Amino acid sequence: MKLTLGVLDQSPIGPGENAQAALRHTLELASATDRMGYSRFWVSEHHNAPGLAGSSPEVLLAAIGAYTRHIRIGSGGVLLPHYSPYKVAENFRVLEGLYPGRIDLGIGRAPGGMPLSSVALRGGAPKQPDERFPESLRELASYLEISPPLGREHPLAGLKATPLVETVPELWLLGSSGYSAAAAAQMGSGFSFAHFINGYGGQGAVRDYRRHYRPGPLGAQPKVNVCVFVICTDSDAAAEREASAMDLRLLYQEKGEFGKPFPTPEEASAYPYSEWDRTRIAENRQRMIVGGPDRVRSALTAFAASYGAEEVMVNCLMSDFRLRMRSYELLAEMFPQRQR
């Protein structure tokens, strides 16, 4: 099986950097991975997150499209419960008009930040109940003209999302649980499992998605990919050193210390870990693939096989941008993608 690789980039703000540098790095990485032959380049949505610069994937994608030529670009993902399906449809129709046939619309239902930012995004409106999510997806599909228009009884019947372009984005539901897998199977969309968020249960969720898939308003064919953290350097020892910084970063998040900057390997080495800390680090390693080229090649191949997935989205979240770029270069050498 030939393994296809895509990229999830969260525009991380590295040690000693600012948000402007992180956004420039995202554009540079998109251009480089396009040349390397990666299949997709997705950007995430996070709010009030001091360590991540990507709060508006639609705006960032408009810039990324100008820096790339072949790679599919998309959201990983737009957090639909915060927004009007109509506005999301118009944003992605504009992107399709600019970069036809290259746009992915990945949709999530997570808050993407702390409760205060969720309240602000909704303009103070109450949180949408979960049962509203499928209806929002149907509205979105109708505005994109992927599914039939809204029925006459609907208060927005006859409404068109402009511009009226000829192509439509490829739709994916993103998730880290069985709920999203079930929704994707019911609605007919592709399904992307966030193994980098939840290192357990993803294989079962993907099996259930395939078993229960039916064509629906979001698509007619099942599609699966899975996203995982990958830390690959020229040697196992160097990768482990870099992974220690990621271990500490995830530990900070679990302790609610979201304002801390991305740690360096030196800070990770000096940190006074408790027994609980070490247990959590071992658990979080289930979300990562770490090593030099030989170890990563073997682990990533086995990982994809465990999901039965031919496409893996890799998130090389590392403390130094040069190391991140090198990680993607090594992966492209291990798993040659399309040729330029």
Side-chain angles (χ1 to χ4, degrees):
M1 178 182 72
K2 184 180 185 299
L3 184 59
T4 299
L5 298 180
V7 177
L8 173 66
D9 186 64
Q10 296 177 296
S11 302
I13 302 172
E17 294 182 345
N18 57 24
Q20 291 94 323
L23 293 172
R24 288 196 301 270
H25 288 332
T26 288
L27 296 178
E28 186 177 342
L29 188 61
S31 179
T33 52
D34 183 26
R35 294 192 302 271
M36 294 175 202
Y38 280 80
S39 61
R40 307 174 196 274
F41 191 95
W42 288 358
V43 292
S44 60
E45 178 179 336
H46 292 88
H47 301 285
N48 194 28
L52 301 173
S55 58
S56 181
E58 304 94 330
V59 174
L60 195 47
L61 288 171
I64 289 170
Y67 277 75
T68 57
R69 292 292 177 267
H70 306 281
I71 196 169
R72 295 190 66 87
I73 60 175
S75 56
V78 167
L79 306 178
L80 186 59
H82 292 320
Y83 309 120
S84 152
Y86 182 69
K87 184 58 176 174
V88 173
E90 291 205 321
N91 284 340
F92 277 80
R93 283 204 144 184
V94 169
L95 288 169
E96 272 290 342
L98 292 170
Y99 312 111
R102 284 211 289 140
I103 302 298
D104 294 335
L105 171 48
I107 300 163
R109 65 184 187 95
M114 300 303 287
L116 199 61
S117 60
S118 296
V119 172
L121 286 164
R122 297 194 305 268
K127 177 183 182 295
Q128 284 190 12
D130 282 347
E131 55 267 24
R132 171 64 183 158
F133 186 60
E135 180 58 31
S136 293
L137 291 172
R138 292 187 186 93
E139 285 187 24
L140 178 63
S142 71
Y143 296 137
L144 292 172
E145 298 183 349
I146 296 171
S147 67
L150 300 172
R152 291 181 179 178
E153 71 284 356
H154 196 283
L156 299 176
L159 183 62
K160 295 281 189 180
T162 53
L164 301 177
V165 295
E166 296 180 358
T167 56
V168 295
E170 193 172 282
L171 266 68
W172 294 77
L173 289 193
L174 283 51
S176 58
S177 69
Y179 176 94
S180 296
Q186 179 185 8
M187 303 296 288
S189 76
F191 178 55
S192 180
F193 186 81
H195 189 98
F196 76 106
I197 294 175
N198 178 12
Y200 297 94
Q203 291 87 346
V206 167
R207 283 195 300 271
D208 287 344
Y209 164 78
R210 288 193 173 105
R211 183 180 304 122
H212 299 295
Y213 182 89
R214 299 291 184 275
L218 303 187
Q221 297 291 333
K223 302 184 296 289
V224 169
N225 67 38
V226 56
C227 183
V228 64
F229 286 127
V230 177
I231 296 176
C232 183
T233 64
D234 291 285
S235 71
D236 291 346
E240 288 293 343
R241 181 176 182 273
E242 184 61 29
S244 69
M246 186 63 175
D247 291 334
L248 183 55
R249 183 180 187 275
L250 295 177
L251 192 62
Y252 283 156
Q253 292 176 347
E254 292 192 354
K255 293 182 175 183
E257 299 174 359
F258 298 105
K260 285 185 175 292
F262 202 119
T264 64
E266 291 77 16
E267 290 168 335
S269 178
Y271 190 84
Y273 296 99
S274 68
E275 194 61 35
W276 181 87
D277 293 340
R278 296 188 187 282
T279 298
R280 291 308 309 148
I281 286 171
E283 288 292 306
N284 284 331
R285 279 297 182 102
Q286 301 302 312
R287 300 154 60 183
M288 304 182 212
I289 293 173
V290 178
D294 289 343
R295 185 196 289 181
V296 167
R297 181 187 293 107
S298 176
L300 195 54
T301 300
F303 174 79
S306 75
Y307 275 92
E310 296 183 358
E311 181 178 43
V312 174
M313 303 291 289
V314 291
N315 183 353
C316 300
L317 193 57
M318 301 163 76
S319 65
D320 186 294
F321 178 67
R322 292 166 298 181
L323 290 176
R324 287 172 61 209
M325 184 69 80
R326 179 60 178 156
S327 190
Y328 287 110
E329 290 171 352
L330 289 169
L331 287 166
E333 292 169 6
M334 282 183 265
F335 301 96
Q337 304 296 302
R338 66 184 187 275
Q339 298 298 312
R340 289 284 171 262

